Amino acid sequence: QLAALYIDIDEFKSVNDALGHAIGDELLKGVADRLRGCLRETDVGARLGGDEFAVIQMPIKNRSETTRLVDEIHSAIRQPFECMGHLITTDASIGIALAPGDGVDLDQLLRNADLALYGAKGDGRRTYRFFETGMDQRAKTRRSLELELRQAISDGSLETYYQPVVNIEDGKISSCEALLRWRHPERGMISPAEFIPIAEDSGLINELGQWVLNAACAEAVNWPDHVRVAVNVSPVQFRSQSLALNVAAALAASGLPASRLELEITEAVLIRDDAALDALHQLRKLGVRIALDDFGTGYSSLSYLQRFPFDKIKIDRSFIRDIAGPGASSSIVQAVVNIAAASDMTTTAEGVETAQQRNLLYILGCTEMQGYLFSPAISAVEVRRLLLT
Ligand code: C2E
Ligand code: CA
Ligand code: CA
Ligand code: CA
């Protein structure tokens, strides 16, 4: 029995884009060395091109030997790299196919390992997967969604909805967050949680992101002056050198003052490299506000607060959901509120669904809230009605 591993290095591309090919090559060599360090005499490793590697682990007695190797590879690759004066963090997604079950020749094994890799990337948190039958079908579905999404950007089946964010104390709307909705002709409503990752993988997110930005700015011009619009920006959009330029273009085209636009970014942006930080400062110079989204779900959250002076922290829904429970959620929220207040940031609680949660958040000193208790995301027409009457 043997295992074929298809390994894709993550984070690497942005490093390459940002810091030039020299550092890219240097980093790749480092990755290759660490990979080699995990292999036995009888295993074989190869670079497939780009930032992709293959490992044939042979012989193996069972799949837990492969899981062990995967763990080893992950811990080797996740050690930060000191590379030409930069400290860089990388990760790897790994797809695995086993012979003879998943294929008898190397070609087929690697193809199936690649499909498993695709699956690993698709489910977000998991960084490796074994091949399963049916994965080729799902890959096909994904590819067709990608094609249809490309179409949807131009044919009007995409729409931005807006969810109001209100001041906890007086319930007044301070901003509205633009959230994408896709009305698929056959499948009905498709959640952004499903299609945003596809758009990110295919690079389509840049077009999509620009589309939302334009739509949101154009809509917000109709709102009262004190109401801002918040737009989500994917980490992938930070890889393009022109993000600040694109934002400036959306503001100019709509006539919306920069101070009424807020961009929501996640910590994933900050773990990449210094170029992303530069982009954030450029955006700040334009006069737009920057919010840290989904706070608490990522890596080493608190340290990121030192890297950039955010205007706002959005506390992830998972903490709000448990806030009245016996766990540590309410002390975590309290700590975040305190830290934010000490650095002149406001806090928004996400996913507030009950009056009890609202009351607790008020006592804890949270500034704003967003959630079904006040309103779900609603259409542009409904928002106007809400704001203008
Ligand atoms: P997010 O940025 O964390 O957006 C908040 C999500 O929570 C939205 O889901 C919203 O509808 C949902 N939500 C709001 N209040 C409540 C509540 O009280 N209870 C519960 N259970 N859920 C609530 P939605 O619209 O499905 O969006 C999911 C995610 O997709 C967003 O999470 C965001 O990460 C992404 N997304 C949506 N639109 C865009 C976009 O234009 N660009 C990018 N890059 N990502 C987007
Ligand atoms: Ca990669
Ligand atoms: Ca958001
Ligand atoms: Ca969020």
Side-chain angles (χ1 to χ4, degrees):
Q1 219 182 345
L2 65 82
L5 281 67
Y6 203 119
I7 303 169
D8 178 74
I9 308 302
D10 301 323
E11 310 303 330
F12 188 76
K13 193 157 172 231
S14 67
V15 169
N16 208 355
D17 290 349
L19 303 175
H21 290 282
I23 197 165
D25 287 345
E26 193 61 30
L27 189 59
L28 260 181
K29 270 187 224 134
V31 168
D33 284 342
R34 288 183 184 188
L35 263 177
R36 204 173 299 124
C38 301
L39 303 184
R40 305 167 300 182
E41 291 268 306
T42 50
D43 300 337
V44 183
R47 180 164 162 203
L48 295 170
D51 56 359
E52 295 181 341
F53 295 85
V55 166
I56 307 299
Q57 186 194 22
M58 63 186 172
I60 55 162
K61 289 191 209 67
N62 49 46
R63 62 155 69 191
S64 63
E65 275 184 59
T66 303
T67 319
R68 259 198 310 277
L69 174 62
V70 166
D71 286 343
E72 226 176 287
I73 290 175
H74 270 140
S75 57
I77 283 179
R78 285 172 183 159
Q79 301 287 331
F81 282 86
E82 170 74 52
C83 205
M84 300 171 100
H86 296 268
L87 200 62
I88 294 164
T89 333
T90 61
D91 203 342
S93 305
I94 304 178
I96 309 153
L98 301 171
D102 303 335
V104 283
D105 62 283
L106 204 55
D107 248 21
Q108 189 183 14
L109 274 175
L110 279 177
R111 222 175 14 251
N112 285 342
D114 188 22
L115 284 171
L117 170 68
Y118 209 52
K121 286 180 172 294
D123 50 40
R125 279 176 201 279
R126 263 203 291 178
T127 46
Y128 73 90
R129 277 190 80 164
F130 284 91
F131 174 77
E132 294 157 22
T133 44
M135 275 181 166
D136 37 352
Q137 191 49 48
R138 270 181 305 237
K140 269 188 211 124
T141 311
R142 225 176 133 87
R143 258 192 303 276
S144 75
L145 271 186
E146 185 187 320
L147 289 174
E148 288 165 341
L149 186 56
R150 203 173 287 278
Q151 182 69 34
I153 297 178
S154 50
D155 78 6
S157 44
L158 282 180
E159 198 178 334
T160 38
Y161 270 46
Y162 298 88
Q163 185 175 35
V165 176
V166 300
N167 186 296
I168 272 196
E169 201 166 347
D170 60 17
K172 291 216 172 81
I173 299 176
S174 50
S175 63
C176 294
E177 178 179 0
L179 292 162
L180 271 168
R181 296 291 177 260
W182 182 11
R183 222 181 297 278
H184 189 281
E186 287 124 41
R187 290 169 217 254
M189 278 292 200
I190 302 182
S191 158
E194 189 177 342
F195 68 79
I196 294 287
I198 294 177
E200 289 178 331
D201 268 4
S202 58
L204 207 54
I205 191 72
N206 287 309
E207 253 176 276
L208 197 57
Q210 189 63 30
W211 185 86
V212 178
L213 208 52
N214 288 334
C217 290
E219 187 56 38
V221 176
N222 302 310
W223 302 345
D225 286 341
H226 63 276
V227 181
R228 283 189 290 266
V229 66
V231 177
N232 292 286
V233 180
S234 156
V236 177
Q237 291 174 263
F238 275 83
R239 290 182 196 165
S240 123
Q241 310 287 303
S242 54
L243 179 60
L245 220 62
N246 295 342
V247 169
L251 289 169
S254 61
L256 187 76
S259 60
R260 287 182 58 201
L261 176 63
E262 189 165 275
L263 301 178
E264 298 193 3
I265 67 154
T266 57
E267 293 165 349
V269 168
L270 292 169
I271 60 174
R272 280 169 205 281
D273 48 63
D274 297 342
L277 211 57
D278 287 348
L280 275 178
H281 283 290
Q282 285 174 31
L283 289 167
R284 170 57 66 66
K285 242 185 259 153
L286 286 177
V288 304
R289 291 165 48 99
I290 313 281
L292 186 54
D293 201 1
D294 301 341
F295 187 75
T297 53
Y299 304 78
S300 52
S301 302
L302 288 178
S303 69
Y304 290 118
L305 291 177
Q306 296 179 314
R307 299 200 63 190
F308 187 80
F310 293 96
D311 297 290
K312 176 189 273 193
I313 300 177
K314 299 190 77 174
I315 306 171
D316 191 69
R317 189 164 77 223
S318 52
F319 296 104
I320 312 306
R321 191 182 48 221
D322 303 335
I323 197 170
S329 283
S330 72
S331 2
I332 292 170
V333 171
Q334 179 74 78
V336 174
V337 167
N338 291 346
I339 291 168
S343 343
D344 267 338
M345 298 183 267
T346 62
T347 41
T348 301
E350 300 189 304
V352 180
E353 296 181 351
T354 70
Q356 187 192 23
Q357 290 166 343
R358 182 252 164 220
N359 293 340
L360 266 169
L361 287 162
Y362 179 65
I363 293 167
L364 293 174
C366 197
T367 334
E368 294 165 314
M369 66 171 191
Q370 176 178 8
Y372 298 161
L373 176 65
F374 184 79
S375 169
I378 51 183
S379 72
V381 175
E382 291 173 296
V383 174
R384 272 194 227 182
R385 205 177 299 137
L386 191 64
L387 288 172
L388 302 175
T389 51

